[in-house]
């Protein structure tokens, strides 16, 4: 008897493989765990061993598709479909069938230079890959287009996730586009209103549970065993396949000259795992000759991977009770920690933690570049500063920060920071005094020309 269930999406020309015992299957159980050893599954492509796709052909196919007007090619994810699982289509129809794919034209995100942050850090070749420019404002869309497509293809009517906000916003949108219902489990009071409002607007059944993210995820795991709900958290390996395209698109934008470093925030650790998987696959396929070092940055109060690597050498997860104002990464029991530890080791990357004050400072510095991001994304710049101090990153190296979410995702954080309310009365109050020059509090005035002129003169002096 094969351990994998049959109602789940099946893979064609690819396999699920357990990251623990290596067991193979063409369908995954509802919790995406190996029924032998309980470890997570990943998707692999054995046909690449037999007939390796030509790197040059792939690059030229991806360029060609940029000229196409089909929705599938206009997606910055499906344009790279050659490195994604293929839909098990009926005879006669093609993978390219736009009717099957649920897409909001995700991906296609800009790679920005960061001249001011380059000056601050002393790293001239500093870039931001801004995943916050995705349709629902975060990197989740790149994974969701793939996982939601496979969910619908397998006939699921319901999809569900536990979330710190962005996954739920993205899932709700893709479910709505694909005609599916969605169930969202979020920790009460710890998700920004912007993200929550997206889930509501896109029609999700939204439950605010009196627990944290880890509690929501535990409950979802139990739920999917009872009800035919397809789980769209990042333990779903289809999500990670879609999120791989961030790295593919990035290298294409750099004309296949990899940067020395890619720095990414770590929460549940799906995204770092996906980016690392893409880098390793691209190296194996000859798309790039050199591996960038992939580093993961966590908030000090949500530093499970940092502690896991330091205290157990990556052998055993050190779970924690997470607390950080960067609520997107307020996660203490990251599901994909083993996958992330593997790609850190394989690429030679580092894992660091940053304080709340460092996060707030970095977020304001990125914002002052005119692009903005949410707090969880800003850990990347704060982490870069640490890695420079440790001489892990050298100033003459090229660095790409992955900005995972849009500034508009968490306006409360930004307003509290600029009004100077963020650290008031907290242990960090004195440490945060150095951030005063970055603050731009709104100024309330009478509607009088003189009053505004005085403000202008004052600002000119500062
Ligand atoms: N940055 C943002 C903006 C996020 O929303 C998340 C995760 C991360 C970074 C961390 O990514 O989990 O793959 O390591 N947000 C999830 C959510 C957990 O539910 O929206 P990760």
């Amino acid at each position: 008897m094969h351990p994998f269930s049959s109602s789940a999406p099946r893979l064609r020309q690819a396999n699920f493989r357990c990251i623990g015992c290596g067991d193979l299957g063409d369908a995954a159980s509802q919790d995406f765990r190996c029924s032998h050893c309980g470890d997570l599954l990943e998707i692999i492509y054995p046909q690449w061993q037999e007939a390796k796709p030509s790197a040059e052909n792939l690059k030229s196919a991806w360029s060609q598709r940029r000229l196409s007007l089909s929705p599938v090619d206009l997606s910055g994810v499906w344009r790279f479909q050659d490195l994604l699982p293929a839909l098990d289509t009926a005879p006669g129809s093609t993978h390219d069938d736009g009717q099957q794919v649920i897409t909001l034209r995700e991906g296609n995100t800009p790679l920005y230079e960061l001249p001011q942050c380059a000056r601050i850090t002393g790293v001239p070749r500093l870039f931001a890959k801004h995943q916050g420019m995705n349709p629902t404002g975060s990197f989740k869309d790149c994974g969701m287009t793939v996982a939601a497509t496979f969910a619908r293809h397998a006939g699921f009517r319901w999809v569900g996730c536990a979330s710190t906000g962005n996954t739920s916003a993205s899932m709700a949108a893709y479910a709505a586009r694909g005609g599916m219902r969605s169930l969202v489990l979020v920790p009460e009071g710890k998700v920004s209103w912007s993200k929550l409002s997206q889930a509501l607007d896109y029609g999700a059944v939204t439950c605010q549970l009196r627990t944290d993210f880890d509690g929501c995820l535990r409950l979802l795991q139990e739920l999917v065993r009872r009800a035919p709900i397809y789980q769209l958290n990042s333990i779903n390996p289809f999500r990670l396949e879609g999120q791989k395209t961030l790295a593919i698109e990035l290298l294409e934008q750099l004309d296949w000259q990899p940067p020395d470093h890619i720095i990414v925030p770590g929460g549940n650790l799906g995204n770092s795992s996906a980016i690392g998987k893409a880098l390793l696959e691209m190296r194996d396929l000859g798309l790039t000759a050199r591996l960038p070092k992939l580093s993961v940055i966590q908030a000090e109060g949500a530093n499970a991977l940092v502690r896991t690597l330091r205290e157990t050498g990556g052998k055993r997860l050190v779970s924690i009770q997470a607390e950080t104002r960067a609520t997107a990464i307020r996660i203490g029991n990251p599901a994909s920690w083993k996958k992330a530890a593997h790609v850190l080791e394989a690429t030679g990357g580092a894992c660091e933690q940053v304080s709340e004050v460092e996060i707030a400072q970095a977020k304001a510095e990125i914002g002052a570049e005119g692009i903005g991001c949410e707090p969880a994304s800003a850990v990347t710049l704060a982490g870069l500063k640490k890695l420079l101090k440790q001489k892990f990153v050298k100033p003459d190296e090229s660095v790409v920060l992955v900005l995972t979410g849009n500034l508009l995702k968490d306006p409360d954080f930004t307003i509290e920071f600029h009004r100077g309310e963020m650290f008031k009365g907290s242990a960090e109050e004195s440490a945060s005094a150095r951030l005063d020059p970055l603050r731009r509090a709104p100024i309330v005035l009478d509607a009088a020309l003189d009053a505004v002129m005085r403000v202008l003169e004052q600002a000119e002096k500062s």
Side-chain angles (χ1 to χ4, degrees):
M1 244 299 269
H2 204 275
F4 295 95
S5 101
S6 58
S7 61
R10 305 195 79 82
L11 284 173
R12 190 163 59 87
Q13 298 183 342
N15 281 129
F16 292 104
R17 180 172 65 188
C18 168
I19 61 164
C21 68
D23 193 41
L24 295 174
D26 66 355
S29 61
Q30 274 284 66
D31 62 0
F32 302 106
R33 290 195 177 272
C34 172
S35 56
H36 294 310
C37 73
D39 240 325
L40 285 181
L41 305 179
E42 63 178 349
I43 292 176
I44 56 156
Y45 302 87
Q47 84 272 18
W48 295 354
Q49 305 295 331
E50 292 141 31
K52 194 165 162 174
S54 137
E56 283 320 306
N57 288 352
L58 287 173
K59 287 178 189 174
S60 100
W62 295 338
S63 298
Q64 280 296 317
R65 286 181 197 144
R66 284 236 202 96
L67 305 171
S68 156
L69 293 177
S70 98
V72 173
D73 292 336
L74 286 169
S75 159
V77 171
W78 294 98
R79 189 160 69 82
F80 302 107
Q81 60 180 266
D82 315 75
L83 303 194
L84 301 179
L87 283 163
D88 194 8
T89 48
S93 67
T94 65
H95 182 199
D96 207 50
D97 187 352
Q99 298 299 310
Q100 296 204 55
V101 167
I102 307 171
T103 174
L104 285 161
R105 320 294 183 266
E106 52 289 320
N108 298 312
T109 59
L111 180 67
Y112 292 124
E113 289 180 342
L114 295 177
Q116 293 186 42
C117 294
R119 265 193 299 279
I120 292 167
T121 54
V123 177
R125 288 183 296 152
L126 179 59
F127 303 89
K129 176 73 174 151
H130 203 335
Q131 294 297 96
M133 306 301 267
N134 266 297
T136 76
S138 85
F139 69 96
K140 308 286 182 182
D141 296 342
C142 292
M144 212 51 83
T145 180
V146 176
T149 293
F150 275 89
R152 186 175 65 173
H153 193 68
F156 280 93
R157 287 182 47 244
W158 279 88
V159 290
C161 72
S163 182
T164 56
N166 281 326
T167 300
S168 55
S170 181
M171 179 189 74
Y174 282 83
R177 297 295 297 174
M180 293 179 286
R181 307 284 313 274
S182 63
L183 173 73
V184 161
L185 306 182
V186 290
E188 195 205 5
K190 296 293 180 185
V191 168
S192 94
W193 290 112
S194 296
K195 298 173 187 178
L196 197 62
S197 64
Q198 287 181 287
L200 302 180
D201 223 32
Y202 303 141
V205 174
T206 304
C207 304
Q208 296 179 278
L209 304 186
R210 291 185 201 95
T211 179
D212 55 11
F213 168 83
D214 303 292
C216 292
L217 190 56
R218 260 196 308 279
L219 203 134
L220 183 75
Q221 305 272 308
E222 284 172 35
L223 192 69
V224 295
R225 274 185 227 120
R226 291 257 202 98
I229 298 175
Y230 191 61
Q231 188 181 172
L232 290 182
N233 276 97
S234 60
I235 57 170
N236 180 325
F238 289 103
R239 280 268 316 274
L240 299 200
E241 291 308 290
Q243 285 171 215
K244 283 189 327 195
T245 58
L246 181 164
I248 309 172
E249 188 178 84
L250 168 66
L251 287 205
E252 189 188 50
Q253 285 166 320
L254 292 170
D255 202 17
W256 303 102
Q257 299 302 314
D260 296 302
H261 295 273
I262 299 176
I263 302 182
V264 63
N268 214 19
L269 298 172
N271 205 30
S272 37
S273 304
I275 296 169
K277 186 171 190 283
L279 295 175
L280 296 169
E281 287 177 357
M282 284 192 284
R283 189 219 23 213
D284 292 348
L285 290 172
L287 284 158
T288 164
R290 200 165 47 80
L291 273 182
K293 291 191 170 79
L294 178 68
S295 292
V296 173
I297 312 296
Q298 298 194 296
E300 267 175 14
N303 61 353
L305 185 66
V306 175
R307 290 193 52 187
T308 295
L309 296 178
R310 286 184 192 167
E311 293 169 27
T312 79
K315 292 200 172 55
R316 194 175 40 75
L317 176 67
V318 179
S319 300
I320 53 150
Q321 193 70 42
E323 198 46 86
T324 170
R325 285 187 182 84
T327 51
I329 51 173
R330 190 175 174 274
I331 294 173
N333 194 26
S336 293
W337 68 273
K338 259 193 204 171
K339 290 185 180 180
H342 167 69
V343 297
L344 282 188
E345 196 186 346
T347 67
C351 184
E352 253 308 335
Q353 57 186 350
V354 291
S355 72
E356 298 291 298
V357 173
E358 288 166 334
I359 295 172
Q361 176 172 0
K363 183 174 130 46
E365 288 167 346
I366 295 168
E369 293 266 19
I371 59 177
C373 64
E374 67 167 288
S377 308
V379 302
T380 53
L381 178 63
L384 169 62
K385 293 178 192 169
K386 288 219 151 150
L387 297 178
L388 279 161
K389 265 199 198 122
Q390 296 163 3
K391 301 199 177 4
F392 180 79
V393 176
K394 319 245 169 11
D396 62 347
E397 292 182 315
S398 55
V399 179
V400 174
L401 308 178
V402 177
L403 302 184
T404 44
N406 197 287
L407 167 74
L408 299 175
K409 284 288 194 171
D410 196 348
D412 286 353
F413 184 103
T414 311
I415 301 277
E416 272 181 43
F417 173 80
H418 286 289
R419 284 196 174 137
E421 295 158 358
M422 182 165 284
F423 297 107
K424 233 182 209 149
S426 77
E428 299 115 323
E429 187 164 4
S430 64
S432 72
R434 68 183 151 93
L435 309 190
D436 285 346
L438 287 164
R439 295 192 214 283
R440 298 281 178 270
I443 303 158
V444 181
L445 291 176
D446 287 333
L449 188 60
D450 280 355
V452 179
M453 283 300 289
R454 270 195 300 279
V455 167
L456 256 183
E457 281 158 22
Q458 200 60 41
E460 201 36 32
K461 282 185 221 144
S462 64

